[in-house]
Amino acid sequence: MLQHPAKRATLRLLSKVLLSAAALGASAVSLAAEPLKIGYSDWPGWVAWQVAIEKNWFKDAGVDVKFEWFDYSASMDAFTAGKIDAVTMTNGDALVTGAGGGKNVMILITDYSNGNDMIVAKPGIKSITDLKGKKVAVENGLVEHLLLRNAMKKAGMKAGDIEIVNAKTNEMPQVFATKDIAAVGAWQPIVGQALKAVPGSKPVYTSADEPGLIFDVLAVNPASLSARRADWQKVVKVWDRVVAYIEDPKTQPDAVKIMAARSGVTPEEYLPFLKGTKLLTLEEGRKAYAKGNDFKSLYGSTEIANTFNWYNKVYSFSQKIDTYIDPSLTAAAK
């Protein structure tokens, strides 16, 4: 029986729609089958995830996760390029990454820096004010740059009082050993290597002087969060188990052994790093997610970082802080 041309066209269109729907369905199944890819780097609050990795706690939680190890800057580059679904970074650097095209949402606060981020100076330099007229190396626009500027502001110094030299954070030990550089900014364990590279050097300012200035977070691609929210919820719930294992005196030696091996140092060298990192339980994270204008709040801290970034032309447009922060997964993980 002959079909009317309009009817045949309708059937062809319906067929295409059904095929497209099937393809999209297959794509969604494929996406769901893929492990969540998380980039992490050498900071105690992120190396902490190594405990969960080696203890198979993600499998226990029913979520497939693949952690990929990077130098810090490279982890953010990989995230922006879409090679990983999430990345561990500071709240201020989440804004820098987002402004550069790597849109992200901070779903978990792992810790805040409590002394492990440092401005370290060569022998004879006793304070930030002693750096006036000298060269200080930091990675432009990243967290140590903010730490240095805050230290200068507290000391009553102007922006031009110190000459900023841009350098990669993981290269700071070599940079510090050069003749012209009076001080560098970095975090543990890299800053510890810098201190060893220049005997007699010491910290002149640390994140212990600015608790809450630097929150460390797990930031996720918004599309991944939307498509696999239940899986990300499971990842967040694992975090309390990690913190408990690291902080329990009975299990801490094993945790430190695992973390030290990932960072390539001895457990004896690694243990002091925990003192400079305030790991946050989910309950403590819920409190930090409360809106506020100071360093006690992730919102307040991030807005301060945003003002710094915009003022220093790290990016061209002030970022909308609320779009970067989602407290709901931490709130639900009880």
Side-chain angles (χ1 to χ4, degrees):
M1 182 176 66
L2 293 175
Q3 292 179 329
H4 190 278
K7 187 174 181 181
R8 288 200 299 272
T10 301
L11 289 173
R12 283 199 300 270
L13 178 61
L14 180 59
S15 178
K16 287 180 179 180
V17 169
L18 291 172
L19 286 171
S20 296
L24 285 171
S27 177
V29 170
S30 175
L31 179 65
E34 289 288 318
L36 298 174
K37 295 179 182 177
I38 301 174
Y40 69 135
S41 53
D42 209 350
W43 167 258
W46 306 329
V47 177
W49 287 114
Q50 195 68 32
V51 175
I53 295 167
E54 298 198 14
K55 299 294 183 182
N56 291 317
W57 289 344
F58 294 107
K59 185 177 180 180
D60 292 349
V63 59
D64 190 7
V65 181
K66 180 182 179 183
F67 277 78
E68 299 185 17
W69 185 253
F70 293 90
D71 285 336
Y72 183 52
S73 297
S75 71
M76 293 182 289
D77 290 342
F79 178 77
T80 301
K83 295 179 180 178
I84 50 180
D85 303 302
V87 63
T88 55
M89 52 186 168
T90 72
N91 58 321
D93 294 342
L95 301 179
V96 177
T97 300
K103 296 302 180 184
N104 63 84
V105 181
M106 295 179 264
I107 65 168
L108 172 70
I109 307 170
T110 56
D111 64 277
Y112 65 76
S113 180
N114 194 36
N116 276 345
D117 286 85
M118 303 179 186
I119 307 300
V120 297
K122 286 180 174 174
I125 299 172
K126 299 179 181 179
S127 68
I128 287 290
T129 54
D130 290 341
L131 291 170
K132 188 173 182 178
K134 295 180 170 61
K135 294 181 179 180
V136 178
V138 294
E139 189 161 357
N140 275 348
L142 296 191
V143 63
E144 255 59 27
H145 191 181
L146 173 57
L147 182 66
L148 175 63
R149 288 302 193 201
N150 263 43
M152 292 172 66
K153 183 178 179 181
K154 274 191 171 183
M157 298 173 72
K158 300 188 296 292
D161 287 343
I162 289 175
E163 182 179 346
I164 299 291
V165 176
N166 185 36
K168 291 289 186 183
T169 299
N170 59 302
E171 297 171 359
M172 287 303 173
Q174 299 93 314
V175 172
F176 194 32
T178 60
K179 182 180 178 180
D180 293 340
I181 300 298
V184 299
W187 53 81
Q188 292 286 19
I190 297 167
V191 75
Q193 297 164 13
L195 288 166
K196 287 180 181 178
V198 181
S201 58
K202 67 175 187 178
V204 291
Y205 202 81
T206 81
S207 52
D209 299 305
E210 300 275 12
L213 173 67
I214 306 168
F215 279 106
D216 299 302
V217 302
L218 176 65
V220 180
N221 179 297
S224 178
L225 178 59
S226 177
R228 302 184 63 180
R229 188 176 184 86
D231 284 338
W232 286 114
Q233 183 70 72
K234 292 174 183 177
V235 171
V236 169
K237 289 186 72 173
V238 169
W239 181 247
D240 258 357
R241 193 174 182 184
V242 171
V243 175
Y245 197 82
I246 293 171
E247 296 194 339
D248 187 333
K250 295 178 181 178
T251 52
Q252 187 179 82
D254 184 48
V256 171
K257 182 180 177 181
I258 291 169
M259 296 168 73
R262 173 65 275 185
S263 292
V265 299
T266 66
E268 292 74 22
E269 289 175 303
Y270 203 89
L271 183 59
F273 299 165
L274 295 184
K275 296 178 182 178
T277 308
K278 172 53 181 171
L279 297 176
L280 298 179
T281 63
L282 291 174
E283 179 57 34
E284 290 168 327
R286 282 188 276 274
K287 292 176 182 177
Y289 265 119
K291 287 197 172 184
N293 298 318
D294 57 18
F295 289 151
K296 293 179 181 179
S297 165
L298 179 64
Y299 287 88
S301 175
T302 307
E303 188 56 70
I304 290 166
N306 178 50
T307 300
F308 165 83
N309 291 335
W310 179 78
Y311 180 80
N312 286 281
K313 298 180 173 58
V314 176
Y315 41 69
S316 301
F317 299 96
S318 179
Q319 300 296 294
K320 295 180 179 179
I321 301 306
D322 285 8
T323 66
Y324 282 86
I325 299 174
D326 184 348
S328 63
L329 281 81
T330 295
K334 296 180 180 180

Short mmCIF file of all heavy atoms in Angstrom, two decimals, residues 12-36:
data_model
loop_
_atom_site.label_atom_id
_atom_site.label_comp_id
_atom_site.label_asym_id
_atom_site.label_seq_id
_atom_site.Cartn_x
_atom_site.Cartn_y
_atom_site.Cartn_z
N ARG A 12 9.93 9.06 8.74
CA ARG A 12 11.40 9.19 8.69
C ARG A 12 11.89 10.06 9.86
O ARG A 12 12.89 9.77 10.51
CB ARG A 12 11.82 9.78 7.35
CG ARG A 12 11.79 8.81 6.19
CD ARG A 12 12.63 9.32 5.03
NE ARG A 12 12.16 10.59 4.52
CZ ARG A 12 11.26 10.72 3.56
NH1 ARG A 12 10.72 9.64 3.02
NH2 ARG A 12 10.88 11.92 3.16
N LEU A 13 11.16 11.16 10.12
CA LEU A 13 11.54 12.05 11.20
C LEU A 13 11.45 11.35 12.55
O LEU A 13 12.34 11.45 13.39
CB LEU A 13 10.62 13.28 11.19
CG LEU A 13 10.86 14.32 12.31
CD1 LEU A 13 12.29 14.88 12.22
CD2 LEU A 13 9.84 15.45 12.21
N LEU A 14 10.36 10.58 12.74
CA LEU A 14 10.18 9.83 13.98
C LEU A 14 11.30 8.82 14.16
O LEU A 14 11.84 8.64 15.26
CB LEU A 14 8.82 9.12 13.97
CG LEU A 14 8.48 8.29 15.22
CD1 LEU A 14 8.50 9.16 16.46
CD2 LEU A 14 7.13 7.62 15.04
N SER A 15 11.69 8.18 13.06
CA SER A 15 12.78 7.20 13.11
C SER A 15 14.08 7.85 13.55
O SER A 15 14.82 7.31 14.37
CB SER A 15 12.95 6.54 11.73
OG SER A 15 14.03 5.64 11.76
N LYS A 16 14.35 9.04 13.00
CA LYS A 16 15.58 9.75 13.36
C LYS A 16 15.58 10.15 14.83
O LYS A 16 16.59 10.05 15.53
CB LYS A 16 15.74 10.99 12.49
CG LYS A 16 16.14 10.69 11.05
CD LYS A 16 16.28 11.98 10.25
CE LYS A 16 16.69 11.69 8.81
NZ LYS A 16 16.83 12.94 8.02
N VAL A 17 14.41 10.60 15.29
CA VAL A 17 14.28 10.99 16.71
C VAL A 17 14.55 9.81 17.62
O VAL A 17 15.27 9.89 18.61
CB VAL A 17 12.89 11.59 16.98
CG1 VAL A 17 12.66 11.74 18.49
CG2 VAL A 17 12.74 12.93 16.28
N LEU A 18 13.96 8.64 17.27
CA LEU A 18 14.15 7.44 18.08
C LEU A 18 15.60 6.99 18.08
O LEU A 18 16.16 6.59 19.11
CB LEU A 18 13.24 6.31 17.57
CG LEU A 18 11.74 6.52 17.79
CD1 LEU A 18 10.93 5.45 17.08
CD2 LEU A 18 11.42 6.52 19.29
N LEU A 19 16.25 7.06 16.91
CA LEU A 19 17.67 6.69 16.82
C LEU A 19 18.53 7.63 17.64
O LEU A 19 19.47 7.21 18.33
CB LEU A 19 18.13 6.69 15.35
CG LEU A 19 17.64 5.52 14.50
CD1 LEU A 19 17.98 5.76 13.02
CD2 LEU A 19 18.27 4.21 14.98
N SER A 20 18.20 8.92 17.58
CA SER A 20 18.96 9.91 18.35
C SER A 20 18.79 9.67 19.84
O SER A 20 19.74 9.74 20.62
CB SER A 20 18.50 11.33 18.00
OG SER A 20 18.78 11.62 16.65
N ALA A 21 17.55 9.36 20.23
CA ALA A 21 17.28 9.10 21.65
C ALA A 21 18.04 7.87 22.12
O ALA A 21 18.60 7.84 23.22
CB ALA A 21 15.78 8.92 21.87
N ALA A 22 18.09 6.86 21.25
CA ALA A 22 18.81 5.63 21.60
C ALA A 22 20.30 5.92 21.75
O ALA A 22 20.96 5.41 22.66
CB ALA A 22 18.58 4.57 20.51
N ALA A 23 20.81 6.77 20.84
CA ALA A 23 22.23 7.12 20.89
C ALA A 23 22.55 7.88 22.16
O ALA A 23 23.55 7.64 22.83
CB ALA A 23 22.62 7.94 19.66
N LEU A 24 21.65 8.82 22.51
CA LEU A 24 21.86 9.59 23.73
C LEU A 24 21.78 8.70 24.96
O LEU A 24 22.54 8.86 25.91
CB LEU A 24 20.81 10.70 23.82
CG LEU A 24 21.00 11.90 22.89
CD1 LEU A 24 19.78 12.81 22.93
CD2 LEU A 24 22.25 12.69 23.29
N GLY A 25 20.85 7.75 24.92
CA GLY A 25 20.73 6.82 26.03
C GLY A 25 21.97 5.99 26.20
O GLY A 25 22.47 5.78 27.31
N ALA A 26 22.50 5.51 25.07
CA ALA A 26 23.74 4.71 25.11
C ALA A 26 24.89 5.54 25.62
O ALA A 26 25.73 5.07 26.39
CB ALA A 26 24.05 4.18 23.71
N SER A 27 24.91 6.83 25.21
CA SER A 27 25.96 7.73 25.66
C SER A 27 25.89 7.94 27.16
O SER A 27 26.89 7.96 27.86
CB SER A 27 25.85 9.07 24.93
OG SER A 27 26.81 9.97 25.41
N ALA A 28 24.68 8.10 27.67
CA ALA A 28 24.48 8.31 29.11
C ALA A 28 24.93 7.09 29.90
O ALA A 28 25.55 7.20 30.95
CB ALA A 28 23.01 8.62 29.39
N VAL A 29 24.59 5.89 29.36
CA VAL A 29 25.02 4.65 30.03
C VAL A 29 26.54 4.56 30.04
O VAL A 29 27.16 4.20 31.05
CB VAL A 29 24.40 3.42 29.32
CG1 VAL A 29 25.02 2.14 29.85
CG2 VAL A 29 22.90 3.40 29.52
N SER A 30 27.15 4.93 28.89
CA SER A 30 28.61 4.90 28.79
C SER A 30 29.24 5.85 29.79
O SER A 30 30.21 5.52 30.45
CB SER A 30 29.04 5.26 27.37
OG SER A 30 30.44 5.35 27.27
N LEU A 31 28.64 7.08 29.89
CA LEU A 31 29.15 8.08 30.82
C LEU A 31 29.05 7.56 32.25
O LEU A 31 29.98 7.70 33.04
CB LEU A 31 28.34 9.37 30.67
CG LEU A 31 28.72 10.53 31.60
CD1 LEU A 31 30.14 11.01 31.30
CD2 LEU A 31 27.75 11.69 31.45
N ALA A 32 27.94 6.96 32.57
CA ALA A 32 27.75 6.45 33.93
C ALA A 32 28.73 5.33 34.25
O ALA A 32 29.11 5.14 35.39
CB ALA A 32 26.31 5.96 34.09
N ALA A 33 29.15 4.60 33.21
CA ALA A 33 30.06 3.48 33.42
C ALA A 33 31.50 3.94 33.64
O ALA A 33 32.33 3.20 34.15
CB ALA A 33 29.99 2.53 32.23
N GLU A 34 31.80 5.17 33.23
CA GLU A 34 33.15 5.70 33.37
C GLU A 34 33.44 6.04 34.83
O GLU A 34 32.57 6.54 35.54
CB GLU A 34 33.32 6.96 32.51
CG GLU A 34 33.36 6.70 31.02
CD GLU A 34 34.65 6.05 30.59
OE1 GLU A 34 35.72 6.44 31.08
OE2 GLU A 34 34.58 5.10 29.78
N PRO A 35 34.67 5.82 35.30
CA PRO A 35 35.01 6.27 36.66
C PRO A 35 35.06 7.79 36.72
O PRO A 35 35.37 8.45 35.72
CB PRO A 35 36.39 5.66 36.90
CG PRO A 35 36.97 5.45 35.54
CD PRO A 35 35.80 5.14 34.65
N LEU A 36 34.73 8.34 37.86
CA LEU A 36 34.93 9.77 38.08
C LEU A 36 36.43 10.03 38.14
O LEU A 36 37.15 9.38 38.89
CB LEU A 36 34.28 10.19 39.40
CG LEU A 36 32.77 10.01 39.54
CD1 LEU A 36 32.34 10.36 40.96
CD2 LEU A 36 32.02 10.85 38.52
#
